[in-house]
Amino acid sequence: MIDLSSVTKSFGTNAVLRGVDLTIDSGTSMVIIGGSGTGKSVLLKCILGLVTPDAGTITLDGQDVTTQDRDAFLARFGMLFQGGALFDSLPVWQNVAFRLLRGSLKRPAAEARAIAIEKLRRVGLKPEVADLFPAELSGGMQKRVGLARAIAAEPEIIFFDEPTTGLDPIMAGVINELIREIVTEMGATAMTITHDMSSVRAIADNVAMLHDGVIKWTGPVDRMDNSGDPYLDQFIHGRAEGPIEAVR
Amino acid sequence: MILLSPIGTLGRAVLQTLASVGRVALFALSTLTHMLRPPFYGREFGLALLNIGWLSLPVVGLTAIFTGGALALQIYAGGARFNAEAVVPQIVAIGMVRELGPVLVGLMIAARVTSSIAAEIATMKVTEQIDALVTLSTNPMKYLVAPRVLAALIVVPLLVAVGDVIGIAGGYAVATGSLGFNPATYLKNTVDFLEALDIVSSLVKGCAFGFIAALMGCWFGMNSGRGAQGVGRATKGSVEAAAVLILAANFLLTGAFFSL
């Protein structure tokens, strides 16, 4: 279980997170929604330790994430970045098997390559893709490779940062389905940040809405449409009028 | 208050500069410690050796050969004013080995390698590849910075040595080809005149300049701003800083070696 309590983070005078309280139960898929620039990515990076919160606590299974052994902590995570964040200088299979080629999870290259090809197949890519470089792939293929990398070491927790941004609706649907299938199949805890409502409905068990640095609403996805929360209603229906200012 | 404003501005600039120097010094210290502690990334180190060393040979060679040739012409013309044309081999040798070889190689490395390292790492930062490395339990200082700086420390002195030899060869070609020097005498004068300290100083300068060039590329890359503009600024800043620091280090090292 991931638990965030009163997490705050400012960049200069800009207070991005103003006291976030959120619980993500093990084995569930939580989707964080909110407008652009509301701090969704910062929240995710705070959990991973890429950004240090100014105040508050973040625990994983009851242990403060800042006091845990860093390598052991990160070994439990997989992460799909918004732009894929594939390493340009490495072929696809080495991107996917990056964690399996070095560090505590290191395996022989042949075995790591076989696992990478299997993970590529799992996300719908052919073995021939393995030896291409990221620059030779389309945006959708890069996202799939990023997804394969995120699941390569079979992590307990997977984070997805805007998994469908920049993709056409069909490819976005494919990625959403893949995420749902993989999370269910692996029994992983998932946290996704997005402002794509089709992703929310496809991926989420639970939804949390981040606005103005705090969680405005959280609950099961099937209660989202009847929440009675004016912020959530405005956001999911894409209305310009409401408590959320259209020009921020 | 108006009169105090320039003083305040100057004070802030001084404080910011000192803070930057401190941050770079800590970065350098961290780099050195990461070079000594495992894990070591052999593939990254090998690629850095290839990129910084082998692939820089053409530009180093061309720079050195033209500089050596021009130096021979200048010394011959200048020496003729007081009947000292015969010192061409000695001055070309000492000029290339002590000064021009290390400095020109250092500046060429700053132009070619520092810019490349800064742009590559800055782009990795902008595209979240550095964050991805961290989430994959890989320390960017160990994976990106330490191999490049270590490779530059090792390979730039070798490039300087190659540049020294090619520069002297350029002077030799011009002196024997168009200034009427006897080839055997030219070589004997060159070899006889150079001392071990000249060569040691050249190689030590190479080490220092290589360290500075790679470190600046890594520092500016790791601390770049967002977007294409951030990458551009990091690249420009890295080359400017590396070039100035190389020239400053050259002055200090020359003083340390030869002012005794």
Side-chain angles (χ1 to χ4, degrees), chain A residues 45 48 50 70-71 74-75 81-82 85-90 98-99 102 149, chain B residues 41 43-44 120 123-124 127-138 143:
Chain A
K45 287 180 178 180
L48 284 170
L50 298 172
R70 193 92 186 107
D71 281 351
L74 287 169
F81 285 86
Q82 188 173 345
L86 302 177
F87 305 123
D88 305 318
S89 58
L90 301 177
F98 192 89
R99 201 171 232 162
R102 48 187 64 76
R149 184 173 70 183
Chain B
Y41 294 103
R43 179 184 174 276
E44 295 304 308
E120 184 182 359
T123 304
M124 289 184 75
T127 55
E128 295 187 302
Q129 290 178 53
I130 305 261
D131 283 345
L133 275 178
V134 175
T135 63
L136 293 165
S137 307
T138 303
Y143 186 75

